[in-house]
mmCIF file of all heavy atoms in Angstrom:
data_model
loop_
_atom_site.group_PDB
_atom_site.id
_atom_site.type_symbol
_atom_site.label_atom_id
_atom_site.label_comp_id
_atom_site.label_asym_id
_atom_site.label_seq_id
_atom_site.Cartn_x
_atom_site.Cartn_y
_atom_site.Cartn_z
ATOM 1 N N THR A 115 152.640 102.286 93.905
ATOM 2 C CA THR A 115 153.473 102.502 92.719
ATOM 3 C C THR A 115 153.367 103.938 92.230
ATOM 4 O O THR A 115 154.375 104.560 91.866
ATOM 5 C CB THR A 115 153.071 101.518 91.599
ATOM 6 O OG1 THR A 115 153.191 100.189 92.096
ATOM 7 C CG2 THR A 115 153.952 101.685 90.375
ATOM 8 N N PHE A 116 152.160 104.479 92.235
ATOM 9 C CA PHE A 116 151.934 105.846 91.765
ATOM 10 C C PHE A 116 152.657 106.856 92.666
ATOM 11 O O PHE A 116 153.384 107.728 92.190
ATOM 12 C CB PHE A 116 150.433 106.130 91.711
ATOM 13 C CG PHE A 116 150.085 107.480 91.176
ATOM 14 C CD1 PHE A 116 150.175 107.760 89.819
ATOM 15 C CD2 PHE A 116 149.661 108.479 92.028
ATOM 16 C CE1 PHE A 116 149.860 109.012 89.329
ATOM 17 C CE2 PHE A 116 149.340 109.736 91.546
ATOM 18 C CZ PHE A 116 149.436 110.010 90.194
ATOM 19 N N VAL A 117 152.471 106.720 93.965
ATOM 20 C CA VAL A 117 153.081 107.663 94.917
ATOM 21 C C VAL A 117 154.609 107.577 94.857
ATOM 22 O O VAL A 117 155.296 108.603 94.781
ATOM 23 C CB VAL A 117 152.565 107.406 96.344
ATOM 24 C CG1 VAL A 117 153.356 108.197 97.376
ATOM 25 C CG2 VAL A 117 151.082 107.744 96.443
ATOM 26 N N THR A 118 155.140 106.376 94.880
ATOM 27 C CA THR A 118 156.600 106.235 94.837
ATOM 28 C C THR A 118 157.155 106.640 93.473
ATOM 29 O O THR A 118 158.278 107.154 93.399
ATOM 30 C CB THR A 118 157.037 104.804 95.196
ATOM 31 O OG1 THR A 118 156.375 103.869 94.327
ATOM 32 C CG2 THR A 118 156.718 104.491 96.654
ATOM 33 N N GLY A 119 156.391 106.426 92.409
ATOM 34 C CA GLY A 119 156.820 106.872 91.087
ATOM 35 C C GLY A 119 156.962 108.381 91.019
ATOM 36 O O GLY A 119 157.920 108.913 90.432
ATOM 37 N N ILE A 120 156.036 109.098 91.648
ATOM 38 C CA ILE A 120 156.136 110.559 91.707
ATOM 39 C C ILE A 120 157.381 110.970 92.487
ATOM 40 O O ILE A 120 158.122 111.871 92.069
ATOM 41 C CB ILE A 120 154.859 111.158 92.325
ATOM 42 C CG1 ILE A 120 153.689 111.007 91.347
ATOM 43 C CG2 ILE A 120 155.064 112.629 92.684
ATOM 44 C CD1 ILE A 120 152.339 111.361 91.928
ATOM 45 N N LEU A 121 157.635 110.291 93.603
ATOM 46 C CA LEU A 121 158.830 110.607 94.394
ATOM 47 C C LEU A 121 160.114 110.336 93.609
ATOM 48 O O LEU A 121 161.060 111.134 93.653
ATOM 49 C CB LEU A 121 158.828 109.815 95.703
ATOM 50 C CG LEU A 121 157.736 110.189 96.706
ATOM 51 C CD1 LEU A 121 157.738 109.215 97.884
ATOM 52 C CD2 LEU A 121 157.901 111.620 97.176
ATOM 53 N N LEU A 122 160.149 109.227 92.875
ATOM 54 C CA LEU A 122 161.329 108.918 92.061
ATOM 55 C C LEU A 122 161.514 109.965 90.966
ATOM 56 O O LEU A 122 162.639 110.355 90.648
ATOM 57 C CB LEU A 122 161.203 107.520 91.453
ATOM 58 C CG LEU A 122 161.273 106.355 92.440
ATOM 59 C CD1 LEU A 122 160.941 105.040 91.744
ATOM 60 C CD2 LEU A 122 162.634 106.291 93.110
ATOM 61 N N PHE A 123 160.401 110.426 90.399
ATOM 62 C CA PHE A 123 160.476 111.476 89.379
ATOM 63 C C PHE A 123 161.042 112.761 89.984
ATOM 64 O O PHE A 123 161.932 113.385 89.412
ATOM 65 C CB PHE A 123 159.103 111.733 88.759
ATOM 66 C CG PHE A 123 159.105 112.905 87.812
ATOM 67 C CD1 PHE A 123 159.685 112.790 86.564
ATOM 68 C CD2 PHE A 123 158.575 114.126 88.198
ATOM 69 C CE1 PHE A 123 159.720 113.874 85.691
ATOM 70 C CE2 PHE A 123 158.594 115.211 87.343
ATOM 71 C CZ PHE A 123 159.168 115.090 86.089
ATOM 72 N N ILE A 124 160.526 113.161 91.153
ATOM 73 C CA ILE A 124 160.985 114.391 91.796
ATOM 74 C C ILE A 124 162.498 114.342 92.035
ATOM 75 O O ILE A 124 163.197 115.338 91.848
ATOM 76 C CB ILE A 124 160.221 114.629 93.115
ATOM 77 C CG1 ILE A 124 158.766 115.002 92.807
ATOM 78 C CG2 ILE A 124 160.893 115.708 93.960
ATOM 79 C CD1 ILE A 124 157.868 115.033 94.036
ATOM 80 N N ALA A 125 163.012 113.196 92.423
ATOM 81 C CA ALA A 125 164.433 113.056 92.733
ATOM 82 C C ALA A 125 165.325 113.254 91.510
ATOM 83 O O ALA A 125 166.492 113.634 91.651
ATOM 84 C CB ALA A 125 164.706 111.692 93.348
ATOM 85 N N ALA A 126 164.800 113.014 90.319
ATOM 86 C CA ALA A 126 165.625 113.120 89.107
ATOM 87 C C ALA A 126 164.872 113.818 87.972
ATOM 88 O O ALA A 126 165.113 113.550 86.800
ATOM 89 C CB ALA A 126 166.068 111.729 88.670
ATOM 90 N N ALA A 127 163.979 114.733 88.325
ATOM 91 C CA ALA A 127 163.051 115.324 87.357
ATOM 92 C C ALA A 127 163.740 115.963 86.149
ATOM 93 O O ALA A 127 163.287 115.782 85.011
ATOM 94 C CB ALA A 127 162.153 116.341 88.057
ATOM 95 N N THR A 128 164.816 116.698 86.373
ATOM 96 C CA THR A 128 165.449 117.409 85.256
ATOM 97 C C THR A 128 166.102 116.465 84.253
ATOM 98 O O THR A 128 166.225 116.799 83.079
ATOM 99 C CB THR A 128 166.500 118.414 85.763
ATOM 100 O OG1 THR A 128 167.448 117.731 86.585
ATOM 101 C CG2 THR A 128 165.840 119.531 86.547
ATOM 102 N N LYS A 129 166.512 115.313 84.711
ATOM 103 C CA LYS A 129 167.103 114.324 83.809
ATOM 104 C C LYS A 129 166.016 113.524 83.096
ATOM 105 O O LYS A 129 166.104 113.244 81.906
ATOM 106 C CB LYS A 129 168.022 113.378 84.579
ATOM 107 C CG LYS A 129 169.206 114.066 85.207
ATOM 108 C CD LYS A 129 169.989 113.109 86.069
ATOM 109 C CE LYS A 129 171.096 113.844 86.797
ATOM 110 N NZ LYS A 129 171.815 112.998 87.720
ATOM 111 N N ILE A 130 165.000 113.141 83.848
ATOM 112 C CA ILE A 130 163.959 112.254 83.316
ATOM 113 C C ILE A 130 163.064 112.966 82.312
ATOM 114 O O ILE A 130 162.664 112.387 81.304
ATOM 115 C CB ILE A 130 163.132 111.661 84.477
ATOM 116 C CG1 ILE A 130 164.004 110.729 85.310
ATOM 117 C CG2 ILE A 130 161.912 110.920 83.955
ATOM 118 C CD1 ILE A 130 163.335 110.227 86.571
ATOM 119 N N ILE A 131 162.746 114.229 82.567
ATOM 120 C CA ILE A 131 161.801 114.962 81.725
ATOM 121 C C ILE A 131 162.315 115.097 80.289
ATOM 122 O O ILE A 131 161.529 115.237 79.354
ATOM 123 C CB ILE A 131 161.472 116.350 82.339
ATOM 124 C CG1 ILE A 131 160.207 116.939 81.731
ATOM 125 C CG2 ILE A 131 162.622 117.310 82.171
ATOM 126 C CD1 ILE A 131 158.942 116.373 82.257
ATOM 127 N N LEU A 132 163.602 115.013 80.104
ATOM 128 C CA LEU A 132 164.201 115.159 78.774
ATOM 129 C C LEU A 132 164.240 113.859 77.976
ATOM 130 O O LEU A 132 164.584 113.870 76.791
ATOM 131 C CB LEU A 132 165.630 115.710 78.906
ATOM 132 C CG LEU A 132 165.753 117.089 79.559
ATOM 133 C CD1 LEU A 132 167.207 117.449 79.799
ATOM 134 C CD2 LEU A 132 165.054 118.142 78.713
ATOM 135 N N LEU A 133 163.903 112.756 78.611
ATOM 136 C CA LEU A 133 164.003 111.456 77.945
ATOM 137 C C LEU A 133 162.721 111.113 77.190
ATOM 138 O O LEU A 133 161.641 111.053 77.785
ATOM 139 C CB LEU A 133 164.267 110.357 78.981
ATOM 140 C CG LEU A 133 165.562 110.455 79.778
ATOM 141 C CD1 LEU A 133 165.589 109.384 80.854
ATOM 142 C CD2 LEU A 133 166.756 110.330 78.853
#
Side-chain angles (χ1 to χ4, degrees):
T115 303
F116 183 75
V117 170
T118 55
I120 289 171
L121 293 173
L122 292 172
F123 174 74
I124 290 170
T128 55
K129 297 174 185 175
I130 293 173
I131 197 78
L132 299 173
L133 298 174

